[in-house]
Amino acid sequence: MDYEHKANAAADCLMSYKRDESGWKVCKKSNDVVVSWRPSSEFPGNVYKGEGIVSGTPEKVWECLKPVPNGLRVKWDNNVKRFELLEQITEDISICRTVTPSAAMGIIAPRDFVDVILVKQYEDGTISSNGESPQCSWLAQTEVLRRELRINRGRTISVNVSHPGCPPQSGYVRGFNHRCGCVCVPISGEPNKTQVFSFFQTDLGGLLPRSVVDSFFPSSMAEFYGNLAKAVKSLKDL
């Protein structure tokens, strides 16, 4: 599988989501974050967009966000229980398994996702993490998450793939991330603040009622921003 091609396609798609303001409907709003949605073109569900300002440099925010084994993400993100490195493809591309806990008072059982992660660094200060699933079936059995980080203009992209070292496992429903991720954008004149965009269009798998999925993501994304802000605040200067 051409991981690099899929990652770049996912990255372009995520940035198009960021640029395209049409069709988004606000579903949750607070002083810190706005969550919107619109129908996904990838699968029979929605793509969700979060926008918020986090106090901290893009480097500190990314330190909390980056998907690596034994990283900070598992300590503050209630929706990430574990990251496992399955294979290092190149210096910048790896395949990881992400494990999530049960959610929505147990209605959503534990999930796992197999992710291809691409990290890139650029020169203008944005950092982004994006994901995509090449299989468009809502019931597909494998997932690729491609994440492309651009420092100063960075992003992480996720693309769905299968991996022989990680077939579906007992006790977990295999989920599928279609093009999704995070983008950390420096704010001109405010070096200690970062604008964070997040995009999720995830097939959670199983037979969950649509109402459960539609209520889970907006609340989960709002909580994500609050917990991220606390994690960044707790970091020492990088």
Side-chain angles (χ1 to χ4, degrees), residues 64-65 71-83 98-101 147 182 200 216 220-221 223-225 227-228 231:
C64 292
L65 284 174
L72 295 176
R73 184 77 174 265
V74 298
K75 297 179 180 179
W76 64 265
D77 190 339
N78 292 338
N79 290 312
V80 177
K81 185 176 182 179
R82 187 164 69 250
F83 283 116
T98 304
V99 176
T100 65
R147 301 182 179 158
C182 298
F200 292 92
F216 170 72
S220 175
M221 290 173 69
E223 181 183 45
F224 168 88
Y225 277 85
N227 290 340
L228 172 61

Side-chain angles (χ1 to χ4, degrees), residues 77-95:
D77 190 339
N78 292 338
N79 290 312
V80 177
K81 185 176 182 179
R82 187 164 69 250
F83 283 116
E84 300 173 359
L85 177 65
L86 299 178
E87 182 178 355
Q88 193 72 44
I89 304 298
T90 69
E91 182 180 357
D92 298 326
I93 298 175
S94 60
I95 300 177

Side-chain angles (χ1 to χ4, degrees), residues 4 8 118-122 148-151 154-155:
E4 186 172 357
N8 288 328
L118 167 65
V119 176
K120 287 188 177 181
Q121 297 186 357
Y122 295 79
E148 168 185 350
L149 161 66
R150 301 185 178 180
I151 289 185
R155 57 189 169 187

Side-chain angles (χ1 to χ4, degrees), residues 180-210:
C180 58
C182 298
V183 182
C184 301
V185 183
I187 299 175
S188 179
E190 298 189 77
N192 292 318
K193 289 187 177 181
T194 302
Q195 186 174 26
V196 178
F197 293 87
S198 59
F199 299 92
F200 292 92
Q201 49 181 341
T202 299
D203 176 356
L204 291 174
L207 299 174
L208 291 171
R210 179 65 178 271

